[in-house]
């Protein structure tokens, strides 16, 4: 089993690249069974799905880092295929699709996705190995070098002497559920609730006015929040953070056992999430 993450700007050729990869994998000697997971398989409209943060999070589920963590916890191969296309070409292709009556992005959705897209970095563990395609320069075919390299990586037999293919594995020490530790769970739940309460209180005192950040403690980062965030949204983010902390603890450090560390982690998470909205 393996997980391949396709990423790129909107209308950068990800769907075609995925189809080419599927075709190449089916023609390989390994005869892999492949499934593409995208908006279409969930019968979702790309504009409605990305129209606001809650609907987008329901579609995406987890980002590249969280997908990497899940792949590692599952002990499978993982790679990223990146369609590297300049924004001008993506915009042109989107307009051409619209003129042909094909699936395309509304202008506002397109601009928002372009603004929030994070280019993968090879040095990041969750973006490695990285296979890069340049559809606007070379086109995308099953014979494209990046597709060939990805197929080779995904199908190569691994033994004790293999060095260029890495199977993600959780460490033996983390196989036992660290997150079940009562003290860690208690501190994490309590700390995240205190941060949530601080945000709600700050917004209440602002009476709907602008916020220049919320401070939870003198030694903790400021929560960079400039818009109103409702309690239901905060609760969803809190639940997601606790869930992700439990998942990543299988493949990394244990969850925090003290309140200050838990608050810092949750604040960092909120700043990442609120900074993309």
């Amino acid at each position: 089993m393996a997980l391949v993450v396709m990423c790129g700007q909107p209308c950068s050729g990800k769907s075609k690249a995925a189809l080419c990869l599927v075709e190449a994998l089916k023609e390989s000697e390994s005869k892999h069974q492949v499934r593409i997971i995208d908006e279409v398989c969930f019968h979702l409209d790309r504009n409605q799905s990305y129209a606001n943060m809650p609907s987008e999070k329901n579609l995406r589920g987890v980002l590249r880092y969280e997908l990497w963590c899940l792949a590692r916890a599952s002990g499978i191969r993982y790679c990223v295929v990146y369609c590297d296309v300049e924004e001008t070409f993506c915009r042109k292709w989107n307009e051409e699709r619209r003129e042909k009556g094909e699936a395309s992005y509304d202008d506002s959705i397109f601009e928002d996705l372009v603004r929030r897209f994070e280019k993968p970095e090879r040095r990041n563990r969750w973006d490695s190995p990285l296979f890069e395609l340049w559809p606007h320069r070379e086109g995308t075919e099953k014979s494209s070098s990046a597709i060939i390299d990805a197929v080779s990586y995904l199908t190569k037999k691994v033994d004790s002497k293999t060095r260029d293919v890495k199977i993600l594995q959780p460490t033996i020490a983390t196989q036992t559920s660290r997150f079940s530790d009562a003290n860690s769970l208690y501190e994490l739940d309590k700390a995240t609730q205190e941060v949530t309460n601080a945000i709600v209180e700050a917004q209440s005192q602002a009476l709907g006015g602008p916020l220049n950040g919320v401070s939870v403690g003198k030694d903790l980062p400021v929560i960079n929040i400039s818009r109103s965030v409702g309690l239901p949204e905060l609760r969803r983010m809190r639940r997601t953070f606790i869930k992700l902390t439990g998942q990543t603890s299988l493949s990394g450090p244990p969850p925090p056992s003290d309140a200050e560390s838990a608050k810092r982690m949750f604040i960092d998470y909120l700043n990442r999430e609120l900074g993309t909205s």
Side-chain angles (χ1 to χ4, degrees):
M1 183 180 292
L3 173 64
V4 181
V5 175
M6 309 292 299
C7 70
Q9 298 279 19
C11 279
S12 59
K14 298 184 293 296
S15 296
K16 183 176 180 180
L19 291 173
C20 289
L21 180 59
V22 168
E23 188 176 354
L25 283 169
K26 288 182 177 179
E27 292 180 359
S28 67
E29 294 181 359
S30 62
K31 304 296 181 181
H32 277 58
Q33 292 185 344
V34 189
R35 180 182 179 186
I36 297 178
I37 301 177
D38 58 5
E39 299 101 332
V40 176
C41 74
F42 290 113
H43 306 288
L44 296 172
D45 178 85
R46 63 176 59 189
N47 287 301
Q48 293 178 356
S49 299
Y50 295 108
N52 54 66
M53 187 173 71
S55 62
E56 180 178 350
K57 285 188 177 297
N58 289 334
L59 171 61
R60 290 182 183 270
V62 285
L63 302 177
R64 289 199 300 268
Y65 173 68
E66 283 78 22
L67 286 171
W68 177 83
C69 291
L70 291 174
R72 183 171 182 179
S74 301
I76 61 176
R77 298 190 200 194
Y78 171 93
C79 68
V80 175
V81 176
Y82 172 39
C83 293
D84 190 354
V85 181
E86 294 179 7
E87 180 184 332
T88 53
F89 287 95
C90 294
R91 183 175 284 102
K92 177 183 177 183
W93 292 347
N94 188 55
E95 293 174 354
E96 290 176 350
R97 290 183 185 181
R98 184 183 303 154
E99 291 173 357
K100 295 177 182 178
E102 299 174 351
S104 62
Y105 294 96
D106 294 341
D107 290 338
S108 59
I109 300 296
F110 180 90
E111 297 298 336
D112 193 42
L113 290 175
V114 166
R115 177 176 59 84
R116 293 189 286 108
F117 176 69
E118 295 183 6
K119 182 178 179 179
E121 294 287 346
R122 198 178 302 273
R123 60 187 177 184
N124 294 332
R125 291 174 297 169
W126 52 91
D127 288 334
S128 179
L130 178 65
F131 303 101
E132 297 184 67
L133 283 166
W134 294 274
H136 67 294
R137 297 205 313 250
E138 304 173 355
T140 303
E141 305 292 341
K142 63 181 180 181
S143 58
S144 298
S145 59
I147 298 295
I148 293 175
D149 291 343
V151 170
S152 175
Y153 181 83
L154 294 167
T155 60
K156 186 173 183 178
K157 293 183 179 180
V158 178
D159 55 33
S160 59
K161 298 181 180 179
T162 304
R163 294 291 181 268
D164 57 343
V165 176
K166 184 177 181 181
I167 307 298
L168 299 178
Q169 291 287 350
T171 62
I172 296 177
T174 58
Q175 289 301 306
T176 56
S177 181
R178 295 176 178 177
F179 193 64
S180 62
D181 181 82
N183 186 56
S184 295
L185 178 59
Y186 172 78
E187 292 295 344
L188 188 64
D189 183 78
K190 179 181 177 182
T192 53
Q193 185 61 61
E194 289 180 4
V195 172
T196 300
N197 291 342
I199 295 174
V200 172
E201 178 65 22
Q203 291 186 136
S204 176
Q205 293 180 0
L207 300 176
L211 288 173
N212 295 319
V214 177
S215 177
V216 182
K218 63 178 183 178
D219 296 324
L220 293 171
V222 172
I223 304 172
N224 299 318
I225 178 173
S226 58
R227 65 172 177 86
S228 176
V229 183
L231 185 57
E233 182 179 347
L234 286 171
R235 286 173 175 169
R236 285 194 299 270
M237 296 176 74
R238 178 171 174 263
R239 287 195 301 267
T240 301
F241 170 76
I242 293 175
K243 180 179 179 180
L244 291 176
T245 302
Q247 291 170 345
T248 55
S249 69
L250 293 174
S251 57
S257 57
D258 64 280
E260 291 299 299
S261 296
K263 289 179 182 179
R264 185 178 298 276
M265 287 179 61
F266 187 41
I267 291 172
D268 289 342
Y269 172 79
L270 290 174
N271 282 336
R272 289 200 309 271
E273 294 300 300
L274 295 173
T276 61
S277 61

